[in-house]
Every structure is written in C-alpha cells, then in structure tokens.
Amino acid sequence: MPSATPLRFQATLEATAALPPLLAPDYARRLHQQLPPPRAALRACVIIPAKDEAASLPATLAALAAQVDLAGQPLPPDSFEVLVLANNCTDGTAAAVRHFAGQHPALAVHVARLRLAAPDAHVGRARRLLMDEACLRLLSLGRFNGLIASTDADTRVAPDWLASTQAEIAAGADAVGGRILTDAPPVPTDPPVAAGAPDWVRRTQLRDAAYHLWCARLEAQLDPQAADPWPRHHQHFGASLALTARAYRRVGGLPVVRYLEDEALCQQLRRHDLRLRHSPRVVVYTSARQCGRVEVGLSWQLREWAAQSTARHEPLVPCPQHLAAQWRARRQLRAWWSHAAPFGVPGQGVAAALGLPEKQLARQVLASCTFGRLWDWVAEARATAGVAAPQVPLAEALAWLRAPTAG
C-alpha cells in the first residue's frame, strides 16, 4: 500500500545532501546588482522564488500589500519589502511584478531575473539566493533580528502574517513555520482521473493533515518544548517559513538541494538547538494545483493521491504507538544529555527504547555539543540499524490517536 506520509514531510538523504558549489556564473552578484539598496526602516524581507508565475503572482503580492499589525492597522510600508526572483521564466513573471510595483509605489516590491544553468535550475538554488540577499540587506542595517520570510508564488498570506510571525520572534523563537492551508479543492489532473477522484483526494488530504496534527499534539505532550508548545502544528515549509538574520547566518544559510530545501534548513536549525515555533497564528493559503514547479511538493503529493484514487488504497503512515515510544525516549535522552537526570539512570532504558547499544549511545551523549546533533546521530544510527516506525493504515492510526488512552 502507498504511504500517506510523502517525501514532502520527511527528510531524505538524497534531498538534504547539499549539491557541490557551482563555480560560475556568479548568481549572487548578478541578483544583488538588480536590486536597489534597502530602506532604512526595513525590518523584514519577504522572498518569493518564481518560475512562470505571471498568473498567480498578482494575488500573492496583493496579500502582502494588505498586511496589518495585530491591532488591524496597516503595517508601515517601509518596514518590509518583497524580493522576487524570476528564474528561467518563459512568461511575463517579471513584467507582472513590475506592473504590481508600479500600482503600489509605497511598498518596496523588487524583481530580479536570472537564467540558472541546468544543474542549478531548481527551487533550492533560487530560494538560497534570495535568502542570502535578504540576510545581507538586513545585516547591512544592523538588523540581526530582522526577519527573512519565505513564501511561494502561488500562495496568499493572511493579513496578519508578518505581524504574527514577528510576534513569535519577539516571544523568543528563532524561526517560525506557518500553517499552510489549501484554498480550493485539488484541481483534476490532465488527463483526468476517475470520477470522484478529486473528492477522494481532498478527503485523504484532510485525514493526512489530521494525522499529523494529532501526532503534533501527542509529541507536545510526551516531549514538551518551551519554545514550541501546544497548540502547534507540523508544517515548516517554504510557503510560510521565517527566521531571523542572526539564525540564518548561524546555520550557514539554506542548504542548496533540488527540493525539500525548507526541510533541510529546519534540520540545520535543530542541529544548532535553535528554537523553531510551529505557530497556529501564522497562516497562509496555497493553491491546490497538481501541476507544480518542484519535483517534490504539495502538487506532487496531490498527484500521488489522485493516482491512488482509482484503486482506493488505504494510505499508510508511521505507527503512532511507535512514534510515542520514540518521543518518550527522546525526552529521557535530553534529560541525560543536559545532566538533568542522574548519570547512568536514563541510559538503562533509553538505549533499549531507541534500539541502540547503550555504551555507544553514552559516548555520543558526552561527545555532542548540542542536543540537535545528538538526535541527528540517533536518527542516522537507527536508520543504519534498520530501526524504523512500522507503517499502519491511516484509519487505524487516526483511531488510536483519537482514543482517550493514546500516549
């Protein structure tokens, strides 16, 4: 049976292994040269990678132009800017941005055009270029807590998207993943799938989202994190992902990968023990199109579900009971690593729960400078040892998660 937990929601070695640096051409310099200097009052840079998005960008930009503070008052237009990279476009993407900018002169909306060579023509490179430029602009003004906020060209942010994100940063977060909702039922594929497939895809999408949200709730109960308390969600993807310039510089920038670049960046944040908040107050609405611009993304997942619809396969997901045991062990391991528990006591059960040799785990506890790096090692060691959560039908997993005794 096919899994309902796609690559989009999981880290993979293929996706997160950085590509070798490209020696030429100098994309960063060419991007920088096309942009004017930042305004003195700049507090946030919104970045949007765009490839052939002339039709969708006006709505995306309009939502950004309508940003308000938490009291409902318009944000000062000079406090944020929008940077669009039109890469490898064959339509009027850049012209659409310039037209919008001409209609909204108070808001700084900038577009740069680049032709990326074939090995670099992917969203990871485009988003990295934009984030690097945003970081440079904020740091040039001394704004170490300035916000680098990513969204997508087929996405409309909520009116208080920036203000709610900045509020989470002010409350202590280093990075914020927003809630990503689809704003319409999935668009049928071409050629169309069987009758009723769009409804089946939508139901699967909603049930998959429920599974992840119930898992997030259980995880918050079993291994609570002060920086990411319940209520929270599970998403930290490019359509709504923000972090401070300080945090971005600390992790060395966005990993340059063909897809799942957002997941790779969040892995870097965790390795450095930076605080990632999955805020339910930060919301965006993205398209449910099945013809996307990236190899692995929401559009890819919708196509997968549509292809499964004719067979009516019950999707499979990681067993929540197994995940619950893993989260309990992680909490004990964190206490061991931070010396919050007597030495030796946690190791008696943690290693067994994780399926790892106790002495080997103990050595790694002592050697790891951050808990994130320790947990990374645990994940790799478990994968090498073939320890993984078994897959169960989605309906079965949801029934267990919703039961009063779950956890």
Side-chain angles (χ1 to χ4, degrees), residues 9-335:
F9 304 107
Q10 299 176 357
T12 65
L13 292 178
E14 177 187 359
T16 57
L19 298 175
L22 192 68
L23 298 180
D26 187 351
Y27 297 130
R29 177 183 56 81
R30 288 161 51 197
L31 169 63
H32 182 76
Q33 289 176 340
Q34 295 181 58
L35 302 175
R39 296 176 177 179
L42 184 66
R43 294 291 189 279
C45 290
V46 180
I47 65 102
I48 306 174
K51 179 181 180 182
D52 293 338
E53 297 285 9
S56 60
L57 267 171
T60 299
L61 297 174
L64 290 166
Q67 290 297 285
V68 298
D69 62 21
L70 297 182
Q73 297 301 308
L75 283 184
D78 60 350
S79 67
F80 69 100
E81 66 181 8
V82 182
L83 308 180
V84 180
L85 174 57
N87 72 281
N88 298 62
C89 293
T90 59
D91 69 352
T93 293
V97 177
R98 294 192 185 102
H99 178 72
F100 184 91
Q103 294 180 317
H104 300 79
L107 179 63
V109 179
H110 308 305
V111 62
R113 298 177 63 189
L114 287 179
R115 175 66 58 179
L116 303 179
D120 259 9
H122 54 79
V123 67
R125 176 65 73 180
R127 209 180 301 271
R128 169 63 185 255
L129 287 165
L130 283 166
M131 285 191 155
D132 282 0
E133 176 64 24
C135 186
L136 178 67
R137 294 167 75 84
L138 291 166
L139 293 181
S140 72
L141 299 172
R143 302 280 154 67
F144 290 89
N145 274 339
L147 198 65
I148 304 170
S150 169
T151 190
D152 288 335
D154 65 338
T155 299
R156 294 177 295 106
V157 303
D160 62 351
W161 179 67
L162 272 175
S164 295
T165 301
Q166 289 171 322
E168 295 288 5
I169 296 296
D174 298 299
V176 180
R179 188 76 175 96
I180 302 170
L181 305 174
T182 51
D183 59 6
V187 178
T189 56
D190 185 18
V193 295
D199 291 340
W200 193 86
V201 171
R202 182 62 172 168
R203 287 195 298 271
T204 302
Q205 182 184 10
L206 293 174
R207 292 167 68 224
D208 180 74
Y211 165 80
H212 286 286
L213 289 172
W214 278 97
C215 281
R217 181 174 180 266
L218 182 60
E219 183 179 11
Q221 291 173 345
L222 298 179
D223 186 17
Q225 297 296 304
D228 197 20
W230 184 261
R232 48 154 293 187
H233 56 83
H234 62 286
Q235 296 170 309
H236 42 251
F237 306 139
S240 184
L241 179 60
L243 72 168
T244 65
R246 175 183 285 110
Y248 187 76
R249 189 172 69 167
R250 182 173 174 185
V251 301
L254 178 85
V256 180
V257 293
R258 293 193 63 85
Y259 52 86
L260 296 181
E261 74 290 344
D262 39 21
E263 177 65 38
L265 176 59
C266 289
Q267 282 189 342
Q268 287 292 91
L269 292 168
R270 294 190 186 101
R271 288 186 187 114
H272 288 78
D273 284 354
L274 294 175
R275 296 158 294 189
L276 173 59
R277 173 69 174 135
H278 296 85
S279 175
R281 298 193 297 170
V282 179
V283 179
V284 304
Y285 302 87
T286 196
S287 75
R289 65 188 183 189
Q290 293 183 20
C291 181
R293 303 294 190 267
V294 298
E295 295 172 60
V296 177
L298 176 59
S299 59
W300 172 86
Q301 178 59 79
L302 294 174
R303 291 196 306 273
E304 289 292 302
W305 283 330
Q308 297 165 14
S309 65
T310 53
R312 292 297 192 270
H313 285 150
E314 174 67 12
L316 300 179
V317 294
C319 174
Q321 294 100 314
H322 185 100
L323 294 176
Q326 178 178 303
W327 292 328
R328 291 191 200 95
R330 187 176 65 190
R331 183 176 184 176
Q332 292 178 289
L333 182 63
R334 184 180 287 105

